[in-house]
Amino acid sequence: MAVNSQVITDRYAIYNGDCIEVMQALPKEKIHLSVYSPPFGGLYHYSSNDRDLSNCDDYGQFFEHYAFVVRELHRITMPGRITAVHCMDVPRSNSGRDSYRDFPGDIIRLHEAEGWEYIARHAIWKEPLAVRLRTMQKNLAHKTLIDDSTLCGVAGADYLLIFRRSGDNPVPVFHPTGLMDYYGEKPLPADCLPYRGWTGKQTENRYSQAVWRRYASSVWDDIRMHRILPFREARESDDEKHVHPLQLDVIDRVVVMRSNPGETVFTPFMGVGSEVYSPLMLGRRAIGAELKASYFRQAVKNCELGAKGMFLDGECADLFAGVDDGDFDAPMLAE
């Protein structure tokens, strides 16, 4: 059985099923960008499904299985184009959080072995007290500093790893008037605002340059952590308390910087649909796969809003107007 359910429109296609089977049905070298958070090996269990990567017996087996995902992504991605992987360091044991595995480093080594070129890493800053209150990590408590600071930890960053597929990119991703929007929480300098959409020399485009300096930084300390899609209805009684969609600011930056309007963005671990919703809102097409039925049901709702240009605050925008229709090959898979 390839999928349990699917929704296919002229703008997006989403599947409730195994991402490997979904990718195997896609033609080679047609995806322009992929962005996703893989299951964090050895940290969380998302479902009891034996196809779920989070249910591997150990860390090594996780990477054996994850390699099939990375390999298939390479096949379906256009030469020279990008995949962006959101991850973090993971503890060596669920019983404590004092010793960590270099999960990002292992992801980098896997991608390099599968024909991807590692080109960038963004660290996404997290406020220590907020992490302490959310996770109740003892090593982030001020009392630990007082009692024995050798046991103190840090509020570990999230990471966004950027890889380029082997081969030459046949279609440049271009921005003739620079970056048009800033996705973040820190106000831009007032004197650069009149330059938004500047059509003259781009060396004079103060708005785009101000945004670019923030996007090109190795540390993103201006991500709005609260700007996420609705997900509470997707919870099930046995879900882990960690369930938290990827911030839309992170996805928006990747989509704008790494793809053209009208191109197709893919996500193999769709969750509640963030990596489909964002491309739709930004005038792209999108394909997503999600194994867990409750997440998929929430993704259906969120993607419908994205296709209509519905913002989280209820406003509307027809951001797809004027985009070249092109071809959108999303297969119907056997249910």
Side-chain angles (χ1 to χ4, degrees):
M1 180 180 294
V3 298
N4 298 313
S5 184
Q6 56 195 331
V7 176
I8 300 176
T9 76
D10 61 348
R11 295 280 309 284
Y12 66 93
I14 56 177
Y15 304 92
N16 174 207
D18 189 324
C19 68
I20 294 293
E21 292 184 339
V22 171
M23 286 190 283
Q24 288 174 341
L26 298 177
K28 68 176 183 179
E29 300 183 353
K30 293 294 186 180
I31 297 299
H32 301 94
L33 168 70
S34 58
V35 54
Y36 65 95
S37 291
F40 291 174
L43 181 57
Y44 300 126
H45 293 284
Y46 295 86
S47 75
S48 59
N49 193 311
D50 59 5
R51 291 172 176 257
D52 192 328
L53 274 174
S54 68
N55 283 334
C56 291
D57 291 337
D58 54 41
Y59 190 75
Q61 188 183 77
F62 169 87
F63 273 95
E64 289 180 21
H65 290 193
Y66 183 33
F68 288 99
V69 177
V70 176
R71 191 173 305 140
E72 198 62 27
L73 276 173
H74 188 276
R75 183 188 70 82
I76 65 176
T77 301
M78 180 182 289
R81 288 303 190 93
I82 301 298
T83 186
V85 184
H86 173 261
C87 59
M88 60 182 285
D89 294 331
V90 297
R92 290 186 174 274
S93 167
N94 285 330
S95 63
R97 296 182 179 271
D98 294 326
S99 177
Y100 291 85
R101 294 184 185 274
D102 181 16
F103 189 47
D106 289 332
I107 291 175
I108 292 170
R109 286 180 280 276
L110 172 62
H111 278 73
E112 289 178 330
E114 295 296 339
W116 296 91
E117 180 183 2
Y118 167 51
I119 62 171
R121 181 194 318 225
H122 301 282
I124 301 169
W125 180 82
K126 293 184 288 189
E127 202 283 318
L129 180 58
V131 174
R132 159 64 180 168
L133 295 176
R134 179 171 59 85
T135 66
M136 297 308 296
Q137 287 179 228
K138 185 176 180 181
N139 63 9
L140 290 180
H142 183 258
K143 185 177 186 300
T144 302
L145 170 73
I146 302 302
D147 294 342
D148 182 358
S149 61
T150 66
L151 301 177
C152 286
V154 300
D158 288 345
Y159 297 98
L160 189 71
L161 309 178
I162 308 296
F163 302 94
R164 183 185 296 116
R165 186 199 187 276
S166 55
D168 296 326
N169 175 27
V171 182
V173 176
F174 64 102
H175 302 86
T177 57
L179 296 169
M180 296 292 292
D181 294 289
Y182 164 61
Y183 303 104
E185 67 177 357
K186 295 183 178 180
L188 295 171
D191 62 356
C192 79
L193 300 181
Y195 290 86
R196 182 179 181 273
W198 185 254
T199 58
K201 291 182 179 180
Q202 290 306 299
T203 54
E204 301 171 350
N205 190 341
R206 296 183 185 178
Y207 180 91
S208 181
Q209 290 182 29
V211 176
W212 172 241
R213 284 197 296 272
R214 297 185 184 186
Y215 287 9
S217 174
S218 62
V219 178
W220 285 353
D221 62 354
D222 55 347
I223 297 298
R224 291 170 288 186
M225 292 295 172
H226 60 278
R227 187 173 173 250
I228 57 176
L229 287 188
F231 67 94
R232 297 187 186 282
E233 292 183 23
R235 287 182 183 272
E236 293 182 336
S237 59
D238 59 347
D239 271 349
E240 303 244 13
K241 295 181 180 179
H242 77 280
V243 179
H244 192 77
L246 181 55
Q247 293 81 16
L248 292 172
D249 282 351
V250 175
I251 308 170
D252 290 350
R253 293 182 183 196
V254 176
V255 170
V256 168
M257 286 199 298
R258 306 292 184 176
S259 69
N260 292 308
E263 293 186 336
T264 301
V265 179
F266 177 73
T267 180
F269 304 105
M270 179 176 63
V272 298
S274 304
E275 294 93 340
V276 174
Y277 172 92
S278 170
L280 291 174
M281 292 293 292
L282 295 170
R284 277 72 171 168
R285 294 178 172 83
I287 301 175
E290 173 54 45
L291 188 62
K292 189 163 184 174
S294 62
Y295 291 2
F296 177 79
R297 290 193 294 269
Q298 183 64 46
V300 170
K301 300 176 183 178
N302 291 335
C303 293
E304 287 177 352
L305 293 178
K308 295 176 182 177
M310 300 292 293
F311 288 103
L312 293 176
D313 59 7
E315 296 180 4
C316 297
D318 186 8
L319 296 178
F320 208 75
V323 172
D324 181 16
D325 287 337
D327 293 324
F328 183 60
D329 298 322
M332 293 288 293
L333 300 182
E335 296 189 51

